[in-house]
Amino acid sequence: MAGGTVTHVSGNVLDHLPPRSILGPFALVTSLFFLWGFAYGLLDVLNAHFQEVLHITKLQSTGLQVAYFGIGYFAFSPLAGEILRRKGYKFTIIMGLCFYSTGAILFWPCAKFSETGNHKAIFGGFVVCTAVIACGLAALETSANSYITVLPGCKPEGAAFRLQFSQSFNGIASFAGPFIASKYFFSGSNANNLNNVQWVYLAVAGMGATIATAFAFIKLPETSEAELAEQSRKSAALAGTNDRTTGPFYKQYRVLFGFVAQFLYVGAQVNVATFFINYVYETLEWPKAKASNFLSYSLIIFTVSRFVGTAILSVVDAELVVGIWATMCCLFTVLVSTLHGSSAMAALMLIFFFEAPLFPCIYVVSTQRMGQHTRRASAILIAAVGGGAVFPPIQGAIADRYGTHRSYGLAAPAFAYIACFGFYLWWHHGGNWRRAADLPDSGPSSPDVERASDSELQKADEKALEDIHVDTIPRR
């Protein structure tokens, strides 16, 4: 989103869950996925609400997305990655939670003075607050996604399953945000003011501070990059293949292609959600409160699809999932931009179903088996979330001139590239719809590496894990 990828679960699913000794840290890190899902869910509703209350255009309202994805993710993620490499997971997570809570607290004065101040200045304040929150979330995503992928005491082939499972709680929070907003932002006397925004974000700040305190007192076992590099080297040696993760980072081409795929995916996903309320309001002429409810329903579909994706990854290769699911997203995006009425609405909601498993799958197939480059690769893939800053202003400009309906066609080429990325990796690694392990190569750039058998690679992984000391966590 290099070594090869182990992209789906084989054998007993329970073998790929964390051992009992690390269930506490696993659960606490998984709670972070809920935090940024909730923040993202609120963002889309605020986008439409600010247009109404502060009298700004669709294009101007995308300043929230630019701050959130551009400043927070694209600009700050590489810095967060370097901090992660030097200070470790615990420090980076607590730092991210501090940024998150601080940005949420700053929403209070902005909302408090929204009725008396200059609307554009007030909106600028909200943009700054959003940027601070996003910097915190970038640090959390860089840490949490990487930690779940290389969880101490767990086999590498369970990475896609674990990350898809943890990301499912992100989906739960994503529909909780719009649901709360539809009840408290768009209803009754709050339809034309920002009074309740301040209380929601003060609660968010309290939640972030509570989780930061929990992290301060818990022991968080880590797998160092040196240990990951040694595991990659031993796996390659035992399987009789070349370990190319020892080369410079700029030659890890699978990560670079994965960055492009993730960048386009997030941009397309943000586009689909950001203008959802505008699309429904203009196409079906529903009230915005009702449109916000349907955004919540769509995000429920998104969440259910994450859990469905977890089950699918127990039998199907993640690279193939990326190819097929992105193809379906491309198809339904075209339908959304061409159809009208209830059929267009159905196509729009189906995009949420098929896009849900893509982010964690792209992340895993792009970063797995990166050895000494693991944390830097994680930062690059999270920086790709900056795609959410590029696409909304383009779609906003198209929507202002040609209508929201036509603007949805912008996401189709992005999903097409992602489909090609997934299908190419799947074909390059043998074209098997189900396998125990993949070749530890450097991805699309290394078709010349001799392929070992699946059983040899799985045995090599297990042997490498046995030989490497991962903190003091006993393995079951």
Side-chain angles (χ1 to χ4, degrees):
M1 262 189 246
T5 61
V6 179
T7 54
H8 92 287
V9 180
S10 60
N12 191 341
V13 169
L14 294 178
D15 290 340
H16 304 288
L17 293 175
R20 292 180 181 178
S21 56
I22 203 172
L23 276 177
F26 175 77
L28 197 56
V29 172
T30 297
S31 72
L32 300 177
F33 290 81
F34 185 92
L35 279 186
W36 69 70
F38 188 80
Y40 174 68
L42 287 177
L43 185 70
D44 294 325
V45 178
L46 283 175
N47 182 287
H49 194 49
F50 284 153
Q51 294 175 37
E52 186 76 23
V53 177
L54 300 179
H55 309 293
I56 58 177
T57 67
K58 295 172 187 174
L59 178 58
Q60 289 173 331
S61 72
T62 60
L64 289 176
Q65 274 72 19
V66 172
Y68 187 88
F69 295 103
I71 297 175
Y73 282 90
F74 187 77
F76 194 76
S77 290
L79 176 60
E82 291 305 309
I83 294 172
L84 177 61
R85 292 182 68 229
R86 289 169 169 76
K87 297 292 186 179
Y89 288 99
K90 185 173 182 177
F91 179 91
T92 309
I93 288 172
I94 294 176
M95 178 192 73
L97 288 167
C98 289
F99 273 103
Y100 179 81
S101 298
T102 300
I105 289 173
L106 292 176
F107 263 81
W108 174 75
C110 291
K112 189 71 174 177
F113 298 107
S114 61
E115 295 181 359
T116 59
N118 180 282
H119 283 175
K120 289 187 178 179
I122 294 297
F123 180 67
F126 280 116
V127 170
V128 172
C129 296
T130 300
V132 175
I133 289 176
C135 287
L137 295 178
L140 295 179
E141 284 220 48
T142 300
S143 305
N145 283 291
S146 174
Y147 189 81
I148 296 298
T149 301
V150 297
L151 195 66
C154 294
K155 297 178 181 179
E157 57 264 31
F161 178 90
R162 292 192 302 272
L163 188 57
Q164 191 74 237
F165 176 79
S166 294
Q167 285 277 359
S168 298
F169 293 92
N170 171 276
I172 293 174
S174 293
F175 78 75
F179 180 78
I180 291 173
S182 68
K183 298 296 182 183
Y184 297 104
F185 292 175
F186 286 143
S187 302
S189 60
N190 296 311
N192 296 310
N193 63 63
L194 297 171
N195 289 336
N196 277 356
V197 172
Q198 59 186 316
W199 305 116
V200 172
Y201 275 91
L202 283 175
V204 166
M207 183 168 56
T210 300
I211 296 177
T213 302
F215 269 103
F217 289 99
I218 194 173
K219 181 180 179 181
L220 194 67
E222 298 186 13
T223 305
S224 70
E225 287 197 326
E227 290 169 326
L228 291 171
E230 182 67 8
Q231 178 186 335
S232 179
R233 186 190 66 79
K234 287 190 175 184
S235 294
L238 290 169
T241 61
N242 296 328
D243 176 22
R244 300 198 176 186
T245 62
T246 56
F249 183 72
Y250 67 86
K251 288 188 176 181
Q252 311 306 318
Y253 298 111
R254 181 159 49 82
V255 177
L256 303 182
F257 285 112
F259 169 84
V260 176
Q262 199 75 291
F263 185 92
L264 293 174
Y265 164 74
V266 175
Q269 181 200 18
V270 171
N271 270 8
V272 170
T274 298
F275 293 95
F276 184 99
I277 294 174
N278 293 110
Y279 182 90
V280 175
Y281 177 75
E282 294 175 15
T283 304
L284 282 77
E285 299 182 348
W286 288 355
K288 289 189 175 181
K290 184 177 180 180
S292 180
N293 282 334
F294 269 80
L295 177 58
S296 292
Y297 302 151
S298 297
L299 291 169
I300 290 174
I301 293 173
F302 183 95
T303 302
V304 170
S305 180
R306 279 273 168 90
F307 285 104
V308 171
T310 302
I312 290 174
L313 286 169
S314 66
V315 293
V316 180
D317 184 84
E319 295 164 351
L320 184 58
V321 169
V322 170
I324 296 175
W325 265 240
T327 299
M328 298 304 296
C329 287
C330 182
L331 171 63
F332 285 116
T333 300
V334 172
L335 293 177
V336 165
S337 62
T338 55
L339 297 177
H340 296 273
S342 58
S343 57
M345 184 66 178
L348 179 57
M349 297 180 76
L350 282 170
I351 294 175
F352 283 83
F353 179 85
F354 285 102
E355 72 180 6
L358 291 179
F359 182 93
C361 285
I362 293 172
Y363 181 92
V364 170
V365 303
S366 301
T367 63
Q368 183 111 26
R369 301 287 186 83
M370 283 298 296
Q372 63 181 331
H373 301 301
T374 298
R375 297 181 183 183
R376 183 170 287 164
S378 175
I380 292 298
L381 264 292
I382 299 304
V385 176
V390 176
F391 277 55
I394 299 173
Q395 184 169 0
I398 296 172
D400 282 337
R401 184 164 184 177
Y402 300 105
T404 306
H405 186 262
R406 292 186 180 181
S407 70
Y408 267 80
L410 180 64
F415 285 124
Y417 172 88
I418 297 165
C420 292
F421 173 73
F423 282 130
Y424 177 79
L425 285 181
W426 174 70
W427 171 80
H428 175 68
H429 291 142
N432 299 312
W433 72 277
R434 179 178 182 177
R435 57 182 180 270
D438 271 336
L439 174 65
D441 61 13
S442 55
S445 64
S446 55
D448 56 323
V449 180
E450 182 181 357
R451 181 181 176 84
S453 69
D454 291 343
S455 60
E456 287 175 329
L457 286 164
Q458 190 170 12
K459 290 177 182 177
D461 272 337
E462 292 172 355
K463 176 64 176 173
L465 275 172
E466 291 172 359
D467 290 344
I468 297 171
H469 176 70
V470 181
D471 202 357
T472 58
I473 298 299
R475 300 183 187 87
R476 62 181 184 186

